[in-house]
Amino acid sequence: MTHYITPDRLTIERVSEIMDGGLKLELSERSKELIDSCRRYLDEKIAASERPVYGVTTGFGSLCNVTVGADDLTTLQENLMKSHACGVGEIVDRKIVRLMLLLKVQSLSYGNSGAQVCTVQRLIDFFNLDIIPVVYSQGSLGASGDLAPLANMCLPLIGLGEVWYKGERRPAGEVLAENGLEPVKLMSKEGLALLNGTQFMSAHATYSVIKARRLYHLANKIGALSLDVFEGLSDPFNASIQRVRPHAGQIRTATEVRDWLEGSELQALPKPYVQDPYSFRCIPQVHGAVWDAICHVGNVIETEINSVTDNPTIFPDEDVIISAGNFHGEPIAIPMDYLAVAVSELANISERRIFRLISGVRGLPSFLVANPGLNSGFMIPQYAAASVVNQSKGLCWPTSCDSIPSSQGQEDHVSMGANSATKLVRIIDNTHRVLAIELLNAAQALDLRRPLKSSPALEDMHAEYRRVVPFVENDIVMYPLIEASVKYLDSATC
């Protein structure tokens, strides 16, 4: 199947379909016309004008006042690519780099960047042939765009850098030759078009929004099971409670949890208490606030992935080239920091439910084993969850509130959004692990409640889960169970 790159709005849902469905990319005729028209305009403008154009006939950053001759324009762009490829740190997950390729193609396709059709097509070739550039997680200030990681991503266009191909990390030039692909000869402005953008940040953000939506629904389902096996009260999920404080996320969360609990024998039991701890009672308020944050950030990121974020920006129909600041990451850096806080709260409250389940109250044995003392049972998975939650709390400090001037002061305020992006993904992964540990505990507790049953929907999940994670009778090595639980959530129905 094929996804056609067009000027139409690209939704996060469609991005998920492209990535998960293994779709190939192809430029629509309309996008080819827009790209080609802009390129022709830029070439004519350069030939007809003696006025310097930033990054096209001048140096970059604080070198913006240094004019470059016509014979050196290709060298200028190639030198930009080489000198800016300064990525350091861990290697970025290939799924996210594929997203970077897709989003860079989308941004260039609007015909405001001056790229050649063949350059955009080569990025599409990389995506379709699964030639994935090696990109590093550190090095971008989030303005002027994601210079260092995008330089590493785009080096293979000119036959430099490294790529992942057929499971191996190899020199890009070798892989291009193997596939009959010639290095692209960059024209004026193309290096800036490729490097001046927010695709490193926006790819991480898009990936995180997709994952966060899924984690929210899983948290509701797992939280419902924990509530049930804790013999918690359903009153806090009553629709009337949500109606008098009608936050959309709160209403949605309460509805989902009520649906998951429908038909539970445990819920039908008489309860001698009138309140549950907040980690159960306030699931609608906490999970709901997270959902509202996910929705807000999703809307912001969707605007970003449908934007032109390089500089200068070319407007052929208006006969103007404007040097401005669409590369600045602040519009998405702050929302990414916000989403990091929100998703970390799913793990924070989940760990508290884990703590309650192993506490030896409401008829459940201490640490969820029949012979506590001889067995430590589920004592240490809660430690692991607490450790992960603590790390996420530390990562929640907003990097978008910092700025370190660069380029001799020309770039005197930067977003640091790339660091917001990478730590957001770490928090997403941490939350996934904590929810997996909660499910490990809740499933054990349900077996200890037998012969009583939870709802049909939650019993189905439990049965599916037990095919990969066993009940623990006596102490066994626990980390493989946690790992299996994490993997189960990758494909679990939510």
Side-chain angles (χ1 to χ4, degrees):
M1 294 180 63
T2 301
H3 170 78
Y4 287 91
I5 302 293
T6 74
D8 296 336
R9 188 171 183 83
L10 179 65
T11 65
I12 290 178
E13 287 78 9
R14 182 58 175 169
V15 170
S16 184
E17 291 171 2
I18 294 167
M19 304 305 292
D20 294 342
L23 275 62
K24 304 294 185 181
L25 304 182
E26 186 173 330
L27 276 176
S28 67
E29 290 303 316
R30 178 57 180 153
S31 291
K32 289 179 183 177
E33 291 170 3
L34 290 169
I35 296 168
D36 196 46
S37 175
C38 183
R39 183 67 240 177
R40 288 198 311 271
Y41 167 81
L42 182 59
D43 290 340
E44 293 167 1
K45 193 73 172 177
I46 293 170
S49 176
E50 295 182 0
R51 183 180 179 184
V53 179
Y54 171 74
V56 179
T57 58
T58 75
F60 310 104
S62 64
L63 300 174
C64 60
N65 295 317
V66 179
T67 300
V68 177
D71 294 341
D72 292 323
L73 296 186
T74 292
T75 302
L76 174 68
Q77 301 303 314
E78 290 183 351
N79 284 347
L80 175 73
M81 198 90 76
K82 296 172 186 177
S83 66
H84 284 47
C86 295
V88 295
E90 298 175 355
I91 293 175
V92 177
D93 190 301
R94 279 170 267 183
K95 295 190 294 292
I96 294 177
V97 180
R98 278 176 61 82
L99 258 176
M100 291 172 65
L101 289 169
L102 167 62
L103 299 183
K104 175 54 76 174
V105 167
Q106 185 68 32
S107 183
L108 296 177
S109 72
Y110 297 115
N112 298 105
S113 301
Q116 300 175 86
V117 171
C118 66
T119 304
V120 181
Q121 181 58 52
R122 184 53 48 79
L123 293 172
I124 290 175
D125 293 337
F126 288 170
F127 186 96
N128 290 344
L129 295 171
D130 204 29
I131 299 172
I132 307 302
V134 174
V135 176
Y136 297 89
S137 62
Q138 294 174 303
S140 172
L141 301 180
S144 300
D146 292 311
L147 295 173
L150 288 177
N152 279 102
M153 185 187 83
C154 294
L155 272 179
L157 290 171
I158 59 174
L160 301 177
E162 296 177 294
V163 297
W164 295 103
Y165 185 60
K166 295 183 177 179
E168 295 182 348
R169 181 177 173 179
R170 298 175 55 190
E174 289 182 8
V175 175
L176 262 63
E178 192 173 306
N179 285 274
L181 303 173
E182 293 289 334
V184 171
K185 182 179 180 180
L186 297 178
M187 297 183 70
S188 59
K189 208 275 184 183
E190 282 201 284
L192 269 185
L194 293 165
L195 272 56
N196 242 189
T198 63
Q199 286 74 41
F200 178 85
M201 290 180 281
S202 57
H204 281 77
T206 302
Y207 172 87
S208 296
V209 169
I210 292 169
K211 295 280 284 186
R213 289 173 177 174
R214 177 172 171 76
L215 289 175
Y216 161 79
H217 294 299
L218 285 171
N220 287 345
K221 190 174 186 180
I222 295 167
L225 180 60
S226 292
L227 175 80
D228 213 21
V229 298
F230 193 64
E231 294 188 358
L233 301 164
S234 61
D235 290 350
F237 302 88
N238 186 289
S240 297
I241 290 293
Q242 325 317 322
R243 188 172 62 250
V244 297
R245 197 190 192 194
H247 292 289
Q250 180 174 330
I251 293 170
R252 180 172 190 142
T253 302
T255 301
E256 285 194 18
V257 172
R258 286 200 310 272
D259 289 346
W260 287 125
L261 292 173
E262 184 67 33
S264 168
E265 293 178 8
L266 290 165
Q267 281 299 300
L269 293 173
K271 309 292 195 306
Y273 33 82
V274 297
Q275 284 189 344
D276 289 325
Y278 287 179
S279 56
F280 295 98
R281 195 190 340 162
C282 299
I283 287 175
Q285 291 74 22
V286 177
H287 290 201
V290 174
W291 179 251
D292 289 338
I294 293 168
C295 290
H296 168 69
V297 176
N299 288 335
V300 173
I301 300 308
E302 202 162 280
T303 296
E304 186 73 2
I305 66 175
N306 288 279
S307 299
V308 177
T309 57
D310 62 290
N311 176 64
T313 311
I314 304 165
F315 300 91
D317 292 343
E318 301 169 38
D319 188 22
V320 64
I321 302 173
I322 301 174
S323 182
N326 274 359
F327 51 70
H328 204 292
E330 200 80 349
I332 59 173
I334 293 172
M336 284 191 290
D337 283 337
Y338 173 36
L339 184 58
V341 171
V343 175
S344 74
E345 277 298 279
L346 286 181
N348 201 0
I349 195 171
S350 172
E351 185 277 328
R352 291 292 81 197
R353 292 192 293 264
I354 295 168
F355 177 84
R356 293 292 179 175
L357 291 178
I358 64 173
S359 294
V361 298
R362 295 191 179 181
L364 290 172
S366 292
F367 304 114
L368 299 177
V369 283
N371 297 301
L374 176 63
N375 293 295
S376 294
F378 285 68
M379 179 190 297
I380 306 305
Q382 184 262 330
Y383 284 44
S387 172
V388 173
V389 167
N390 172 262
Q391 184 185 74
S392 288
K393 289 176 181 179
L395 292 169
C396 280
W397 179 260
T399 57
S400 60
C401 68
D402 185 35
S403 176
I404 300 175
S406 58
S407 194
Q408 297 179 345
Q410 178 73 4
E411 298 165 8
D412 58 351
H413 183 280
V414 296
S415 75
M416 296 298 180
N419 290 335
S420 300
T422 54
K423 67 189 185 68
L424 170 58
V425 170
R426 289 180 67 186
I427 288 172
I428 290 283
D429 292 341
N430 281 350
T431 298
H432 183 110
R433 296 182 186 107
V434 174
L435 289 173
I437 294 172
E438 182 182 359
L439 180 56
L440 180 70
N441 282 263
Q444 179 81 2
L446 179 57
D447 284 325
L448 294 170
R449 292 294 190 190
R450 299 304 188 203
L452 292 170
K453 291 186 176 181
S454 185
S455 69
L458 294 178
E459 286 288 349
D460 286 345
M461 177 179 69
H462 181 267
E464 185 180 66
Y465 184 72
R466 278 288 174 251
R467 286 195 282 269
V468 293
V469 180
F471 174 76
V472 177
E473 187 72 41
N474 295 296
D475 279 353
I476 60 174
V477 178
M478 295 293 279
Y479 77 86
L481 303 189
I482 296 174
E483 182 178 353
S485 191
V486 169
K487 289 181 179 178
Y488 168 80
L489 289 189
D490 286 333
S491 57
T493 302
C494 61

